[in-house]
Amino acid sequence: MMMARQTRMLAGLLAVVMLLVVGCQPNRRVLEEREALYIQNQELQEQLNGARTALEVCERDRSNLLDEIERLKRELAAKPEVIVPDNAFAGIAGIETEATDTQIKVRVPGDVLFASGSVELKADSKNTLSEIARVIRREYPNQLIRVEGHTDNDPIRKSEWEDNLELSLQRSAAVHRHLQSAGLKMDRMYAAGFGEARPASTKERSRRVEIVVLFAE
């Protein structure tokens, strides 16, 4: 009887000890939540570090952009102001002019300058080009000059030129050479040919050479 009672007491004591041991061990769900929170914290820390790096890059770019704006402002302020006369080329017969804030176009009809299919300047046209050169020397001595050749869209048939582009290039070169001989600086001029790519309102007006005084390019 005594032995049975002692056995029961021992079993009860063992059960209490087991309950205490189990109660002291961390709950598995709690451990999983703790691990998930740790991983989430690591991911948020990486995102924060990435955001900080991106912010630093943006600040550097912003600083560089502000420096570039200031440089351009200084450069613009240092450029001399170009005053465009109402029409410095007034009085030159047979030409048209068109002025904007960035350029002046002096348009000379192709029929005034050349015979059909030719790149040889007519004798009378040389006087017109020389007058244009005198105005440029007086009013715009330091500006860049672009000499543009233009044609209509009639295909080349009877001349030695391969196409209208080549004809326009040769004509702009002929005008360029004459303007140079009339005193314009070679290093402030260049010739360009557009062929039929920039037509005017009529075929007759499309055949032209434009002497463009550039204020910005």
Side-chain angles (χ1 to χ4, degrees):
M1 190 72 176
M2 179 66 72
M3 181 66 69
R5 187 168 62 240
Q6 289 177 344
T7 300
R8 287 196 298 274
M9 289 179 62
L10 183 59
L13 181 60
L14 182 60
V16 170
V17 172
M18 290 298 295
L19 285 173
L20 289 174
V21 171
V22 171
C24 291
Q25 291 180 346
N27 185 282
R28 182 175 181 180
R29 184 168 61 84
V30 172
L31 287 175
E32 290 175 349
E33 290 178 353
R34 183 187 300 170
E35 181 67 19
L37 288 172
Y38 175 78
I39 294 173
Q40 184 179 14
N41 180 67
Q42 290 295 106
E43 292 175 348
L44 290 173
Q45 187 63 44
E46 290 176 0
Q47 293 176 13
L48 178 60
N49 292 338
R52 285 173 176 167
T53 301
L55 180 60
E56 291 174 358
V57 172
C58 287
E59 286 296 328
R60 285 198 300 270
D61 291 344
R62 177 177 176 274
S63 178
N64 292 336
L65 182 59
L66 290 174
D67 290 343
E68 179 65 11
I69 290 172
E70 289 302 317
R71 185 189 68 79
L72 291 173
K73 285 181 178 178
R74 290 193 300 271
E75 185 177 304
L76 183 61
K79 287 185 176 180
E81 182 181 2
V82 177
I83 300 175
V84 180
D86 291 338
N87 190 350
F89 298 93
I92 301 178
I95 68 169
E96 297 177 1
T97 57
E98 178 185 331
T100 68
D101 291 338
T102 59
Q103 64 182 23
I104 297 177
K105 284 186 178 181
V106 181
R107 188 174 298 113
V108 188
D111 295 344
V112 171
L113 295 170
F114 307 99
S116 177
S118 173
V119 298
E120 295 293 329
L121 288 169
K122 292 180 179 179
D124 293 344
S125 71
K126 294 180 180 180
N127 293 331
T128 299
L129 293 176
S130 295
E131 289 183 48
I132 293 171
R134 277 196 296 272
V135 173
I136 294 174
R137 289 202 317 271
R138 182 180 69 245
E139 302 290 346
Y140 316 108
N142 298 314
Q143 301 309 125
L144 189 64
I145 308 298
R146 181 174 66 232
V147 183
E148 300 179 358
H150 300 267
T151 70
D152 59 26
N153 60 0
D154 288 343
I156 297 292
R157 290 192 178 95
K158 297 181 180 180
S159 69
E160 60 186 290
W161 317 113
E162 181 177 349
D163 52 25
N164 283 320
L165 176 60
E166 184 178 2
L167 176 60
S168 69
L169 285 166
Q170 293 295 336
R171 286 183 167 180
S172 65
V175 173
H176 182 290
R177 293 188 189 98
H178 183 82
L179 292 175
Q180 182 185 349
S181 70
L184 296 191
K185 300 175 183 177
M186 185 176 182
D187 63 351
R188 303 302 299 166
M189 284 195 299
Y190 67 97
F194 291 93
E196 60 198 65
R198 297 185 178 182
S201 56
T202 65
K203 283 188 176 182
E204 182 180 8
R205 291 175 60 82
S206 295
R207 297 189 296 268
R208 68 203 189 274
V209 172
E210 293 182 352
I211 301 164
V212 186
V213 182
L214 298 165
F215 303 133
E217 183 168 87

